[in-house]
Coordinates of all heavy atoms in Angstrom, one line a residue:
M726 N 2.1 -146.9 -73.9 CA 2.4 -148.1 -73.2 C 1.8 -148.0 -71.8 O 1.5 -146.9 -71.3 CB 3.9 -148.3 -73.1 CG 4.6 -148.3 -74.5 SD 4.5 -149.8 -75.4 CE 5.3 -150.9 -74.4
N727 N 1.5 -149.1 -71.2 CA 1.0 -149.1 -69.8 C 2.0 -148.7 -68.8 O 3.2 -148.5 -69.1 CB 0.6 -150.6 -69.5 CG -0.7 -150.9 -70.2 OD1 -1.6 -150.1 -70.4 ND2 -0.9 -152.2 -70.5
F728 N 1.6 -148.5 -67.6 CA 2.5 -148.0 -66.5 C 3.7 -148.8 -66.4 O 3.7 -150.0 -66.4 CB 1.7 -148.0 -65.2 CG 2.6 -147.6 -64.0 CD1 2.9 -146.2 -63.9 CD2 3.2 -148.5 -63.2 CE1 3.7 -145.8 -62.8 CE2 4.0 -148.1 -62.1 CZ 4.3 -146.8 -62.0
D729 N 4.9 -148.2 -66.4 CA 6.2 -148.8 -66.3 C 7.0 -148.1 -65.2 O 7.4 -146.9 -65.4 CB 6.9 -148.7 -67.6 CG 8.3 -149.3 -67.7 OD1 8.8 -149.7 -66.6 OD2 8.8 -149.3 -68.8
P730 N 7.2 -148.8 -64.1 CA 7.9 -148.1 -63.0 C 9.4 -147.7 -63.4 O 9.8 -146.6 -62.9 CB 8.0 -149.1 -61.9 CG 7.5 -150.4 -62.4 CD 6.8 -150.1 -63.7
E731 N 10.0 -148.4 -64.2 CA 11.4 -148.0 -64.7 C 11.3 -146.7 -65.5 O 12.2 -145.9 -65.3 CB 12.0 -149.1 -65.5 CG 13.5 -148.8 -65.9 CD 14.4 -148.7 -64.7 OE1 14.1 -149.0 -63.6 OE2 15.6 -148.3 -65.0
Y732 N 10.3 -146.6 -66.3 CA 10.1 -145.3 -67.1 C 9.9 -144.2 -66.1 O 10.6 -143.1 -66.3 CB 8.9 -145.5 -68.0 CG 8.4 -144.2 -68.6 CD1 9.1 -143.5 -69.6 CD2 7.2 -143.6 -68.1 CE1 8.6 -142.3 -70.1 CE2 6.7 -142.4 -68.6 CZ 7.4 -141.8 -69.5 OH 6.9 -140.6 -70.0
E733 N 9.1 -144.4 -65.1 CA 8.8 -143.3 -64.1 C 10.1 -142.9 -63.4 O 10.4 -141.8 -63.1 CB 7.7 -143.7 -63.2 CG 6.4 -143.9 -63.8 CD 5.8 -142.7 -64.5 OE1 6.1 -141.5 -64.0 OE2 5.1 -142.8 -65.5
R734 N 10.9 -143.9 -63.0 CA 12.1 -143.7 -62.3 C 13.1 -142.9 -63.1 O 13.7 -141.9 -62.7 CB 12.8 -145.0 -61.8 CG 14.0 -144.9 -61.0 CD 14.7 -146.2 -60.7 NE 15.4 -146.7 -61.8 CZ 16.6 -146.2 -62.3 NH1 17.1 -145.2 -61.7 NH2 17.2 -146.7 -63.4
L735 N 13.3 -143.3 -64.4 CA 14.2 -142.7 -65.3 C 13.7 -141.3 -65.6 O 14.5 -140.3 -65.8 CB 14.4 -143.5 -66.5 CG 15.2 -144.8 -66.3 CD1 15.1 -145.6 -67.6 CD2 16.7 -144.5 -66.0
K736 N 12.4 -141.1 -65.7 CA 11.9 -139.8 -66.0 C 12.1 -138.8 -64.9 O 12.3 -137.6 -65.2 CB 10.4 -139.9 -66.3 CG 9.7 -138.7 -66.9 CD 8.4 -138.9 -67.4 CE 7.4 -138.7 -66.3 NZ 6.0 -138.7 -66.7
A737 N 12.2 -139.3 -63.7 CA 12.5 -138.4 -62.5 C 14.0 -138.2 -62.3 O 14.3 -137.3 -61.5 CB 11.9 -139.0 -61.3
D738 N 14.8 -138.9 -63.0 CA 16.3 -138.7 -62.9 C 16.7 -137.4 -63.4 O 16.6 -137.1 -64.6 CB 17.0 -139.9 -63.6 CG 18.5 -139.9 -63.5 OD1 19.0 -138.9 -62.9 OD2 19.1 -140.8 -64.0
R739 N 17.2 -136.5 -62.6 CA 17.6 -135.2 -63.0 C 19.1 -135.0 -63.1 O 19.6 -133.9 -63.2 CB 17.1 -134.1 -61.9 CG 15.6 -134.1 -61.8 CD 15.0 -133.6 -63.0 NE 13.5 -133.6 -62.9 CZ 12.7 -134.0 -63.8 NH1 13.1 -134.3 -65.0 NH2 11.4 -134.0 -63.6
T740 N 19.8 -136.2 -63.2 CA 21.3 -136.1 -63.4 C 21.5 -135.7 -64.9 O 20.6 -135.8 -65.7 CB 22.0 -137.4 -63.1 OG1 21.5 -138.4 -64.0 CG2 21.7 -137.9 -61.7
K741 N 22.8 -135.4 -65.2 CA 23.2 -135.1 -66.6 C 22.9 -136.2 -67.5 O 22.5 -136.0 -68.7 CB 24.6 -134.7 -66.6 CG 25.1 -134.1 -67.9 CD 26.6 -133.7 -67.7 CE 27.0 -133.0 -69.0 NZ 28.4 -132.5 -68.9
Q742 N 23.1 -137.5 -67.1 CA 22.8 -138.6 -67.9 C 21.4 -139.1 -68.0 O 21.0 -140.0 -68.8 CB 23.7 -139.8 -67.5 CG 25.2 -139.6 -67.5 CD 25.7 -138.8 -66.4 OE1 25.1 -138.7 -65.3 NE2 26.9 -138.2 -66.5
G743 N 20.5 -138.5 -67.1 CA 19.1 -139.0 -67.0 C 18.4 -139.0 -68.3 O 17.8 -140.0 -68.7
P744 N 18.3 -137.9 -69.1 CA 17.6 -137.9 -70.3 C 18.1 -138.9 -71.3 O 17.3 -139.5 -72.0 CB 17.8 -136.5 -70.8 CG 18.0 -135.6 -69.6 CD 18.8 -136.6 -68.7
H745 N 19.4 -139.1 -71.4 CA 19.9 -140.1 -72.4 C 19.6 -141.5 -71.9 O 19.2 -142.3 -72.8 CB 21.5 -139.9 -72.4 CG 22.1 -141.0 -73.3 ND1 21.9 -141.0 -74.7 CD2 22.8 -142.1 -73.0 CE1 22.6 -142.0 -75.2 NE2 23.1 -142.7 -74.2
R746 N 19.6 -141.8 -70.7 CA 19.2 -143.1 -70.2 C 17.8 -143.4 -70.5 O 17.4 -144.5 -70.9 CB 19.5 -143.2 -68.7 CG 20.9 -143.3 -68.3 CD 21.1 -143.5 -66.8 NE 22.5 -143.5 -66.5 CZ 23.0 -142.9 -65.4 NH1 22.2 -142.2 -64.6 NH2 24.3 -142.9 -65.2
L747 N 16.9 -142.4 -70.3 CA 15.5 -142.5 -70.5 C 15.3 -142.8 -72.0 O 14.5 -143.7 -72.4 CB 14.7 -141.3 -70.1 CG 13.2 -141.3 -70.3 CD1 12.5 -142.5 -69.7 CD2 12.6 -140.0 -69.8
D748 N 15.9 -142.0 -72.9 CA 15.7 -142.1 -74.3 C 16.1 -143.5 -74.8 O 15.4 -144.2 -75.5 CB 16.6 -141.1 -75.1 CG 16.0 -139.7 -75.1 OD1 14.8 -139.6 -74.8 OD2 16.8 -138.8 -75.4
T749 N 17.3 -144.0 -74.3 CA 17.8 -145.3 -74.6 C 16.9 -146.4 -74.1 O 16.6 -147.3 -74.9 CB 19.2 -145.5 -74.1 OG1 20.1 -144.5 -74.6 CG2 19.8 -146.9 -74.4
Y750 N 16.5 -146.3 -72.9 CA 15.6 -147.3 -72.3 C 14.3 -147.4 -73.1 O 13.9 -148.5 -73.5 CB 15.2 -146.9 -70.8 CG 14.2 -147.8 -70.2 CD1 14.5 -149.1 -69.8 CD2 12.9 -147.4 -70.1 CE1 13.5 -150.0 -69.3 CE2 11.9 -148.2 -69.6 CZ 12.2 -149.5 -69.2 OH 11.2 -150.3 -68.7
L751 N 13.7 -146.3 -73.4 CA 12.4 -146.4 -74.2 C 12.6 -146.9 -75.6 O 11.8 -147.7 -76.1 CB 11.7 -145.0 -74.2 CG 11.0 -144.6 -72.9 CD1 10.4 -143.2 -73.1 CD2 10.0 -145.6 -72.5
S752 N 13.6 -146.4 -76.3 CA 13.8 -146.9 -77.6 C 14.0 -148.4 -77.6 O 13.4 -149.1 -78.5 CB 15.0 -146.2 -78.2 OG 15.2 -146.5 -79.6
N753 N 14.8 -148.9 -76.7 CA 15.0 -150.4 -76.7 C 13.7 -151.1 -76.3 O 13.4 -152.1 -76.9 CB 16.1 -150.7 -75.6 CG 17.5 -150.3 -76.1 OD1 17.7 -150.1 -77.3 ND2 18.4 -150.1 -75.2
K754 N 13.0 -150.6 -75.4 CA 11.7 -151.2 -74.9 C 10.8 -151.3 -76.1 O 10.2 -152.3 -76.4 CB 11.1 -150.4 -73.8 CG 9.8 -150.8 -73.3 CD 9.3 -149.9 -72.2 CE 7.8 -149.9 -72.1 NZ 7.4 -149.0 -71.0
H755 N 10.6 -150.2 -76.8 CA 9.7 -150.2 -78.0 C 10.2 -151.1 -79.1 O 9.4 -151.8 -79.7 CB 9.6 -148.7 -78.5 CG 9.0 -147.8 -77.5 ND1 9.3 -146.5 -77.5 CD2 8.2 -148.0 -76.4 CE1 8.6 -145.9 -76.5 NE2 8.0 -146.8 -75.8
D756 N 11.5 -151.1 -79.4 CA 12.1 -152.0 -80.4 C 11.9 -153.4 -80.0 O 11.5 -154.2 -80.9 CB 13.6 -151.7 -80.5 CG 13.9 -150.4 -81.2 OD1 13.0 -149.8 -81.8 OD2 15.1 -150.0 -81.1
E757 N 12.0 -153.8 -78.8 CA 11.8 -155.2 -78.3 C 10.4 -155.6 -78.5 O 10.1 -156.7 -78.9 CB 12.3 -155.3 -76.9 CG 13.8 -155.3 -76.7 CD 14.2 -155.2 -75.3 OE1 13.4 -155.4 -74.3 OE2 15.4 -155.0 -75.0
L758 N 9.5 -154.7 -78.2 CA 8.0 -155.1 -78.3 C 7.7 -155.3 -79.8 O 7.1 -156.3 -80.2 CB 7.2 -153.9 -77.8 CG 5.7 -154.1 -78.1 CD1 5.1 -155.3 -77.3 CD2 4.9 -152.8 -77.7
L759 N 8.2 -154.4 -80.7 CA 7.9 -154.6 -82.1 C 8.5 -155.8 -82.7 O 7.9 -156.5 -83.4 CB 8.4 -153.3 -82.9 CG 7.5 -152.0 -82.6 CD1 8.3 -150.8 -83.1 CD2 6.2 -152.1 -83.2
A760 N 9.8 -156.1 -82.2 CA 10.5 -157.3 -82.7 C 9.8 -158.6 -82.3 O 9.8 -159.6 -83.0 CB 11.9 -157.3 -82.3
R761 N 9.2 -158.5 -81.1 CA 8.5 -159.7 -80.6 C 7.2 -159.9 -81.3 O 6.8 -161.1 -81.5 CB 8.2 -159.5 -79.1 CG 7.5 -160.7 -78.4 CD 7.5 -160.6 -76.9 NE 7.0 -159.3 -76.4 CZ 5.6 -159.1 -76.2 NH1 4.7 -160.0 -76.6 NH2 5.3 -157.9 -75.8
L762 N 6.5 -158.9 -81.7 CA 5.2 -159.0 -82.4 C 5.3 -159.2 -83.9 O 4.4 -159.8 -84.5 CB 4.4 -157.7 -82.1 CG 4.0 -157.5 -80.6 CD1 3.2 -156.2 -80.5 CD2 3.2 -158.7 -80.1
F763 N 6.3 -158.6 -84.5 CA 6.3 -158.5 -86.0 C 7.6 -159.1 -86.6 O 8.6 -159.0 -86.0 CB 6.1 -157.1 -86.5 CG 4.8 -156.4 -85.9 CD1 4.9 -155.2 -85.2 CD2 3.6 -157.0 -86.0 CE1 3.8 -154.6 -84.7 CE2 2.5 -156.4 -85.5 CZ 2.6 -155.2 -84.8
D764 N 7.5 -159.6 -87.8 CA 8.7 -160.0 -88.5 C 9.5 -158.8 -88.9 O 9.0 -157.8 -89.3 CB 8.3 -160.9 -89.7 CG 7.7 -162.2 -89.4 OD1 8.0 -162.7 -88.3 OD2 6.8 -162.6 -90.2
P765 N 10.9 -159.0 -89.0 CA 11.7 -157.9 -89.4 C 11.4 -157.5 -90.8 O 11.0 -158.3 -91.7 CB 13.1 -158.6 -89.4 CG 13.0 -159.7 -88.5 CD 11.6 -160.2 -88.6
G766 N 11.4 -156.2 -91.1 CA 11.1 -155.7 -92.4 C 9.6 -155.5 -92.7 O 9.3 -155.0 -93.8
T767 N 8.8 -155.8 -91.8 CA 7.3 -155.6 -92.0 C 6.8 -154.4 -91.4 O 5.6 -154.1 -91.4 CB 6.5 -156.9 -91.5 OG1 6.7 -157.0 -90.1 CG2 7.0 -158.1 -92.2
Y768 N 7.6 -153.6 -90.7 CA 7.2 -152.4 -90.1 C 8.4 -151.4 -90.1 O 9.5 -151.8 -90.3 CB 6.8 -152.6 -88.6 CG 7.9 -153.1 -87.7 CD1 8.7 -152.2 -87.0 CD2 8.1 -154.5 -87.6 CE1 9.7 -152.7 -86.2 CE2 9.1 -155.0 -86.8 CZ 9.9 -154.1 -86.1 OH 10.9 -154.5 -85.3
T769 N 8.0 -150.1 -89.9 CA 9.1 -149.1 -89.8 C 8.8 -148.2 -88.6 O 7.8 -147.5 -88.6 CB 9.1 -148.2 -91.1 OG1 9.3 -149.0 -92.2 CG2 10.2 -147.2 -91.0
K770 N 9.6 -148.3 -87.6 CA 9.5 -147.5 -86.4 C 10.0 -146.1 -86.8 O 11.1 -146.0 -87.3 CB 10.2 -148.0 -85.2 CG 10.1 -147.2 -84.0 CD 10.8 -147.8 -82.8 CE 11.4 -146.7 -81.9 NZ 12.4 -147.2 -81.0
K771 N 9.2 -145.1 -86.5 CA 9.6 -143.7 -86.9 C 10.3 -143.0 -85.7 O 11.2 -142.2 -85.8 CB 8.4 -142.9 -87.3 CG 7.8 -143.4 -88.6 CD 8.8 -143.2 -89.7 CE 8.2 -143.5 -91.1 NZ 9.2 -143.3 -92.1
S772 N 9.7 -143.2 -84.5 CA 10.3 -142.5 -83.3 C 9.7 -143.1 -82.0 O 8.6 -143.7 -82.0 CB 10.0 -141.0 -83.3 OG 8.6 -140.8 -83.3
S773 N 10.4 -142.9 -80.9 CA 9.9 -143.1 -79.6 C 9.6 -141.8 -79.0 O 10.4 -140.8 -79.2 CB 11.0 -143.8 -78.7 OG 11.1 -145.2 -79.1
L774 N 8.5 -141.7 -78.3 CA 8.1 -140.4 -77.7 C 8.2 -140.5 -76.2 O 7.4 -141.1 -75.5 CB 6.6 -140.2 -78.1 CG 6.4 -140.3 -79.6 CD1 4.9 -140.3 -79.9 CD2 7.1 -139.1 -80.4
V775 N 9.2 -139.8 -75.7 CA 9.5 -139.9 -74.2 C 8.4 -139.4 -73.4 O 8.1 -139.9 -72.3 CB 10.9 -139.2 -73.9 CG1 11.1 -139.0 -72.5 CG2 12.0 -139.9 -74.6
I776 N 7.8 -138.3 -73.8 CA 6.8 -137.6 -72.9 C 5.6 -138.5 -72.6 O 5.0 -138.3 -71.6 CB 6.4 -136.3 -73.6 CG1 5.7 -135.4 -72.5 CG2 5.5 -136.5 -74.8 CD1 5.6 -134.0 -72.9
V777 N 5.3 -139.5 -73.5 CA 4.1 -140.3 -73.2 C 4.4 -141.8 -73.2 O 3.5 -142.6 -73.2 CB 3.0 -140.1 -74.3 CG1 2.5 -138.7 -74.2 CG2 3.6 -140.3 -75.7
D778 N 5.7 -142.2 -73.2 CA 6.1 -143.6 -73.3 C 5.4 -144.2 -74.5 O 4.6 -145.2 -74.3 CB 5.9 -144.3 -72.0 CG 6.4 -145.8 -72.1 OD1 7.1 -146.2 -73.1 OD2 6.2 -146.6 -71.1
G779 N 5.5 -143.7 -75.6 CA 4.9 -144.2 -76.8 C 5.8 -144.1 -78.0 O 7.0 -143.7 -77.9
F780 N 5.3 -144.6 -79.2 CA 6.1 -144.6 -80.4 C 5.3 -144.4 -81.6 O 4.1 -144.7 -81.6 CB 7.0 -145.8 -80.4 CG 6.3 -147.1 -80.4 CD1 5.8 -147.7 -81.5 CD2 6.0 -147.7 -79.2 CE1 5.1 -149.0 -81.5 CE2 5.3 -149.0 -79.1 CZ 4.9 -149.6 -80.3
A781 N 5.9 -144.0 -82.7 CA 5.2 -143.9 -84.0 C 5.8 -145.0 -84.8 O 7.0 -145.2 -84.9 CB 5.5 -142.5 -84.6
V782 N 5.0 -145.7 -85.5 CA 5.4 -146.8 -86.4 C 4.5 -147.0 -87.6 O 3.3 -146.7 -87.5 CB 5.4 -148.1 -85.6 CG1 4.1 -148.5 -85.1 CG2 6.1 -149.3 -86.3
E783 N 5.1 -147.3 -88.7 CA 4.3 -147.6 -89.9 C 4.0 -149.1 -90.0 O 4.9 -149.9 -90.0 CB 5.0 -147.1 -91.2 CG 5.1 -145.7 -91.3 CD 5.8 -145.3 -92.6 OE1 6.0 -146.1 -93.5 OE2 6.2 -144.1 -92.7
I784 N 2.7 -149.4 -89.9 CA 2.3 -150.8 -89.9 C 1.0 -150.9 -90.7 O 0.3 -149.9 -91.0 CB 2.1 -151.3 -88.5 CG1 1.1 -150.5 -87.6 CG2 3.4 -151.5 -87.7 CD1 0.8 -151.0 -86.2
T785 N 0.6 -152.1 -90.9 CA -0.7 -152.4 -91.6 C -1.8 -152.4 -90.6 O -1.6 -152.4 -89.4 CB -0.7 -153.8 -92.3 OG1 -0.6 -154.8 -91.3 CG2 0.5 -153.9 -93.3
D786 N -3.0 -152.4 -91.1 CA -4.2 -152.4 -90.2 C -4.2 -153.7 -89.4 O -4.6 -153.7 -88.2 CB -5.5 -152.3 -91.0 CG -5.7 -150.9 -91.6 OD1 -5.2 -149.9 -91.0 OD2 -6.5 -150.8 -92.5
R787 N -3.8 -154.8 -90.0 CA -3.7 -156.1 -89.3 C -2.7 -156.0 -88.2 O -3.0 -156.5 -87.1 CB -3.4 -157.2 -90.3 CG -3.3 -158.6 -89.6 CD -3.1 -159.7 -90.6 NE -4.3 -159.9 -91.3 CZ -4.4 -160.5 -92.5 NH1 -3.4 -161.0 -93.1 NH2 -5.6 -160.7 -93.1
Q788 N -1.6 -155.4 -88.5 CA -0.6 -155.3 -87.5 C -1.0 -154.4 -86.3 O -0.7 -154.6 -85.2 CB 0.7 -154.8 -88.1 CG 1.5 -155.8 -88.9 CD 2.7 -155.2 -89.6 OE1 2.5 -154.1 -90.3 NE2 3.8 -155.8 -89.6
A789 N -1.8 -153.4 -86.7 CA -2.3 -152.5 -85.6 C -3.2 -153.3 -84.7 O -3.2 -153.0 -83.5 CB -3.1 -151.3 -86.3
N790 N -4.0 -154.2 -85.2 CA -4.9 -155.0 -84.3 C -4.0 -155.9 -83.4 O -4.4 -156.1 -82.3 CB -5.8 -155.9 -85.2 CG -6.9 -155.0 -85.8 OD1 -7.3 -154.0 -85.3 ND2 -7.4 -155.4 -87.0
V791 N -2.9 -156.5 -84.0 CA -2.0 -157.3 -83.2 C -1.4 -156.4 -82.0 O -1.4 -156.8 -80.9 CB -0.9 -157.9 -84.0 CG1 0.2 -158.5 -83.2 CG2 -1.5 -158.9 -85.0
L792 N -1.0 -155.2 -82.4 CA -0.4 -154.3 -81.4 C -1.4 -153.9 -80.3 O -1.1 -153.9 -79.2 CB 0.1 -153.0 -82.1 CG 1.0 -152.1 -81.3 CD1 2.2 -152.8 -80.8 CD2 1.3 -150.9 -82.2
R793 N -2.7 -153.7 -80.7 CA -3.7 -153.4 -79.8 C -3.9 -154.5 -78.8 O -4.2 -154.2 -77.6 CB -5.1 -153.2 -80.5 CG -5.4 -151.8 -80.9 CD -6.8 -151.6 -81.5 NE -6.8 -150.4 -82.2 CZ -6.5 -150.3 -83.5 NH1 -6.3 -151.4 -84.2 NH2 -6.6 -149.2 -84.1
S794 N -3.7 -155.7 -79.2 CA -4.0 -156.8 -78.3 C -2.8 -157.1 -77.4 O -2.9 -158.0 -76.5 CB -4.4 -158.1 -79.1 OG -3.3 -158.5 -79.8
A795 N -1.7 -156.5 -77.6 CA -0.5 -156.7 -76.7 C -0.8 -156.2 -75.3 O -1.3 -155.1 -75.1 CB 0.7 -156.1 -77.3
E796 N -0.4 -157.0 -74.3 CA -0.7 -156.7 -72.9 C -0.1 -155.3 -72.5 O -0.7 -154.6 -71.7 CB -0.1 -157.8 -72.0 CG -0.4 -157.6 -70.6 CD 0.2 -158.8 -69.8 OE1 0.1 -159.9 -70.2 OE2 0.7 -158.5 -68.7
E797 N 1.1 -155.0 -73.0 CA 1.8 -153.8 -72.6 C 1.2 -152.5 -73.2 O 1.6 -151.4 -72.8 CB 3.3 -153.8 -73.0 CG 4.0 -155.1 -72.6 CD 4.0 -156.2 -73.7 OE1 2.9 -156.4 -74.3 OE2 5.0 -156.7 -74.0
V798 N 0.4 -152.7 -74.2 CA -0.1 -151.5 -75.0 C -1.4 -151.0 -74.4 O -2.3 -151.7 -74.3 CB -0.2 -151.9 -76.5 CG1 -0.8 -150.7 -77.3 CG2 1.2 -152.3 -77.0
R799 N -1.4 -149.7 -74.2 CA -2.6 -149.1 -73.7 C -3.5 -148.6 -74.8 O -4.8 -148.7 -74.7 CB -2.2 -147.9 -72.8 CG -3.4 -147.2 -72.1 CD -3.0 -146.1 -71.2 NE -1.6 -146.0 -71.0 CZ -0.9 -144.9 -70.7 NH1 -1.5 -143.8 -70.6 NH2 0.4 -144.9 -70.5
L800 N -2.9 -148.0 -75.9 CA -3.7 -147.4 -76.9 C -3.0 -147.4 -78.2 O -1.8 -147.2 -78.2 CB -4.0 -145.9 -76.5 CG -4.8 -145.0 -77.4 CD1 -6.2 -145.5 -77.5 CD2 -4.7 -143.6 -76.9
V801 N -3.7 -147.6 -79.3 CA -3.2 -147.5 -80.6 C -4.1 -146.6 -81.4 O -5.3 -146.8 -81.4 CB -3.2 -148.9 -81.4 CG1 -2.7 -148.7 -82.8 CG2 -2.2 -149.9 -80.6
E802 N -3.5 -145.5 -81.9 CA -4.3 -144.6 -82.7 C -3.7 -144.5 -84.1 O -2.5 -144.5 -84.3 CB -4.2 -143.2 -82.1 CG -5.0 -143.1 -80.8 CD -5.0 -141.7 -80.3 OE1 -4.3 -140.8 -80.9 OE2 -5.7 -141.4 -79.3
K803 N -4.6 -144.3 -85.1 CA -4.1 -144.1 -86.5 C -3.7 -142.6 -86.6 O -4.3 -141.7 -86.0 CB -5.3 -144.3 -87.4 CG -4.9 -144.3 -88.9 CD -6.0 -144.8 -89.8 CE -5.5 -144.8 -91.2 NZ -6.4 -145.5 -92.1
N804 N -2.6 -142.4 -87.3 CA -2.1 -141.1 -87.6 C -3.1 -140.3 -88.2 O -3.8 -140.7 -89.2 CB -0.8 -141.1 -88.4 CG -0.2 -139.8 -88.6 OD1 -0.1 -139.0 -87.7 ND2 0.3 -139.5 -89.8
Q805 N -3.3 -139.1 -87.7 CA -4.3 -138.1 -88.4 C -3.5 -136.9 -88.8 O -2.9 -136.2 -88.0 CB -5.4 -137.8 -87.4 CG -6.2 -139.0 -86.9 CD -7.3 -138.5 -86.0 OE1 -7.7 -137.4 -86.0 NE2 -7.8 -139.5 -85.2
E806 N -3.6 -136.7 -90.1 CA -2.9 -135.5 -90.7 C -3.8 -134.3 -90.6 O -5.0 -134.4 -90.9 CB -2.5 -135.8 -92.1 CG -1.5 -136.9 -92.3 CD -1.1 -137.1 -93.7 OE1 -1.0 -136.1 -94.4 OE2 -0.8 -138.2 -94.1
L807 N -3.2 -133.2 -90.2 CA -3.9 -132.0 -90.1 C -3.7 -131.2 -91.4 O -2.6 -131.1 -91.9 CB -3.4 -131.1 -88.9 CG -3.5 -131.8 -87.6 CD1 -2.8 -130.9 -86.5 CD2 -4.9 -132.0 -87.2
V808 N -4.8 -130.7 -91.9 CA -4.8 -129.9 -93.2 C -4.9 -128.5 -92.9 O -5.5 -128.0 -92.1 CB -5.9 -130.4 -94.1 CG1 -5.8 -129.7 -95.4 CG2 -5.8 -131.9 -94.3

């Protein structure tokens, strides 16, 4: 995702509740983006990745193109399996 000052603020929060607040904020942010772009049941979010403000999601190639064009999205990469 693109630069988000709230993410940066929460990431710097060293209180006991800081990590939980950051996890909750990012998960909700990612869920809201996906819900805005795609119909329910057409994608499966696997996880939110706190370290990079990103997420893993199962989507079609067409949906990946939609996601790429979203203003908030910096990069979309296809999963690459290591053998």
Side-chain angles (χ1 to χ4, degrees):
M726 303 285 293
N727 286 329
F728 177 76
D729 177 352
E731 183 65 7
Y732 164 75
E733 296 298 329
R734 185 187 74 74
L735 290 168
K736 192 167 86 169
D738 182 353
R739 299 294 178 217
T740 65
K741 190 174 183 178
Q742 296 80 22
H745 176 70
R746 288 183 185 139
L747 179 58
D748 287 342
T749 300
Y750 172 76
L751 283 182
S752 185
N753 290 339
K754 174 181 158 180
H755 300 152
D756 290 345
E757 289 170 8
L758 174 67
L759 292 166
R761 183 171 51 84
L762 295 176
F763 307 124
D764 293 329
T767 64
Y768 63 91
T769 303
K770 180 179 149 200
K771 294 297 191 177
S772 63
S773 287
L774 308 168
V775 171
I776 196 163
V777 293
D778 185 6
F780 56 91
V782 63
E783 288 184 14
I784 54 177
T785 66
D786 288 339
R787 180 176 285 160
Q788 287 172 312
N790 289 331
V791 170
L792 190 58
R793 268 187 200 90
S794 68
E796 183 179 320
E797 310 92 314
V798 175
R799 183 177 352 150
L800 177 68
V801 174
E802 288 186 355
K803 188 172 184 170
N804 185 39
Q805 298 183 23
E806 294 186 31
L807 302 175
V808 182

